[in-house]
Amino acid sequence: MNAAELSSITKHRKDFSMENINMTIPEGFVTGLIGPNGSGKTTIIRMMLGLMQPDHGEITLLGTTHKDHRVKQHIGFVHDDLYMYDHFSIKQMKSFIAPFYTHWNEDLFQAYLEAFHLPYRKKIKTFSQGMKMKCSLLFALAHEPEFLIMDEPAAGLDPVFRRELLDLLQEKMLNENQTLFLSTHQTADLDRIADYIVFINEGHIVLQKSMDEIHERFHVVKGKPNMIDADTKELFVGVHVTDTGFTGLFAGDPAIFDVYGSEIIIEKATLEDLMYFVTKQEREASQNDTTY
């Protein structure tokens, strides 16, 4: 079963278009959403949450339409900005927010409040960016959501807490069979915890695969600059060439390079490698189309 399904989603805005988006988020797993700024990540999340409506297509969350407000009882949301009254304290915000949720867990709330070292009675406007992110996470987890949606959750977090946050999320996924949908620029975080990846660029889905498939299929190949010409470039998804050598993203069985022996270095591609080379290749292809 899928926690979310987007079917034939189209959205046109003044400076942005999204055409025929089809996407699934498997239940009980961590799915990462990656893409450059302006690629459509936040638009997808806003449509899933009902904050923006698609022009065409259907969105299903936890087996029901995203327009059904009851489904929000089972969804937690963490954004890089904290949408709370900054002149309120956490105590005041809890009295405002908790009554909306039928599954509010006060013991869990207090446990995370202590674990995150957040002041209960200080005004939120005095919080640092990292504290605000922790506050958003506190309220998102306290009603025990089945489906947690996070948009740039590591923004403003120090490296220590970011690592602790990833550990916490992994633990929750394993112990409670929750579903996590995580949009982030911190691709190294997704390399560590994601089960599936959706890669979006300029309003279209470039790739939607499991991390196992990505690790098996994509490799970074490095060699001397004289080993690259017009024909060998065609082997790669994207290539970067300098005076000292080339680096390319290869999709397929890297055994074809065995003939080069030690002249070639082959490494498993990271998500950052994937984003860089695919985005670069699509941008260059678009520029060439414009030229012609």
Side-chain angles (χ1 to χ4, degrees):
M1 180 177 173
N2 293 316
E5 296 181 4
L6 282 72
S7 303
S8 303
I9 296 298
T10 297
K11 182 67 180 178
H12 296 292
R13 303 174 69 180
K14 183 178 180 181
D15 56 351
F16 178 78
S17 290
M18 183 175 287
E19 294 282 354
N20 198 34
I21 294 292
N22 293 285
M23 190 177 85
T24 57
I25 301 173
E27 185 176 359
F29 294 95
V30 179
T31 297
L33 178 65
I34 63 173
N37 287 334
S39 58
K41 300 190 302 296
T42 298
T43 298
I44 284 177
I45 288 176
R46 288 176 64 85
M47 287 192 292
M48 288 171 62
L49 294 172
L51 302 174
M52 179 186 295
Q53 295 301 322
D55 297 334
H56 302 285
E58 296 183 357
I59 300 175
T60 301
L61 302 178
L62 300 175
T64 187
T65 174
H66 74 297
K67 296 179 182 179
D68 186 344
H69 292 292
R70 292 172 296 181
V71 76
K72 294 181 181 178
Q73 287 284 330
H74 306 285
I75 295 175
F77 176 55
V78 178
H79 192 262
D80 61 346
D81 284 327
L82 183 63
Y83 293 110
M84 294 184 184
Y85 299 120
D86 62 2
H87 60 284
F88 274 25
S89 65
I90 289 179
K91 179 181 179 181
Q92 291 170 311
M93 282 305 307
K94 187 188 74 170
S95 66
F96 180 73
I97 292 175
F100 286 100
Y101 293 101
T102 56
H103 299 288
W104 183 267
N105 187 326
E106 182 62 21
D107 290 340
L108 189 61
F109 176 87
Q110 293 297 332
Y112 282 129
L113 182 69
E114 181 178 349
F116 296 164
H117 304 291
L118 290 169
Y120 193 44
R121 292 179 171 83
K122 285 185 68 174
K123 290 185 178 181
I124 292 172
K125 67 181 179 181
T126 67
F127 289 7
S128 66
Q129 182 62 29
M131 291 171 68
K132 289 180 179 179
M133 181 57 65
K134 293 177 185 181
C135 184
S136 182
L137 186 62
L138 167 70
F139 282 95
L141 295 176
H143 66 279
E144 301 182 290
E146 297 174 40
F147 185 20
L148 184 60
I149 300 173
M150 308 181 80
D151 190 5
E152 296 294 343
L157 297 182
D158 63 76
V160 174
F161 184 75
R162 199 174 89 230
R163 184 69 176 262
E164 292 174 350
L165 171 61
L166 294 179
D167 290 341
L168 168 68
L169 295 174
Q170 279 189 307
E171 182 181 350
K172 290 187 72 63
M173 295 303 107
L174 290 173
N175 295 342
E176 302 175 27
N177 198 37
Q178 288 182 315
T179 302
L180 172 60
F181 184 55
L182 176 60
S183 170
T184 181
H185 287 101
Q186 301 282 352
T187 54
D189 293 345
L190 293 178
D191 278 315
R192 182 180 167 202
I193 70 168
D195 301 298
Y196 294 89
I197 293 295
V198 178
F199 179 7
I200 187 170
N201 187 37
E202 296 186 350
H204 69 278
I205 300 293
V206 175
L207 172 148
Q208 186 170 195
K209 293 183 180 296
S210 72
M211 284 296 292
D212 288 341
E213 290 177 291
I214 289 171
H215 287 151
E216 181 179 346
R217 179 168 175 76
F218 293 98
H219 295 80
V220 171
V221 179
K222 301 177 182 179
K224 297 177 182 178
N226 60 6
M227 302 174 73
I228 282 289
D229 57 26
D231 291 331
T232 52
K233 274 187 178 181
E234 295 299 318
L235 294 173
F236 298 96
V237 175
V239 180
H240 179 64
V241 183
T242 68
D243 292 338
T244 58
F246 80 90
T247 303
L249 180 69
F250 177 73
D253 186 351
I256 68 169
F257 298 103
D258 288 349
V259 65
Y260 294 100
S262 61
E263 293 185 86
I264 289 285
I265 297 173
I266 300 174
E267 303 168 345
K268 287 190 179 297
T270 65
L271 293 176
E272 183 175 329
D273 294 325
L274 188 64
M275 265 188 63
Y276 170 75
F277 283 107
V278 172
T279 303
K280 181 174 182 290
Q281 188 273 338
E282 290 201 347
R283 183 172 60 248
E284 291 174 352
S286 176
Q287 291 171 348
N288 289 337
D289 288 343
T290 300
T291 301
Y292 297 140

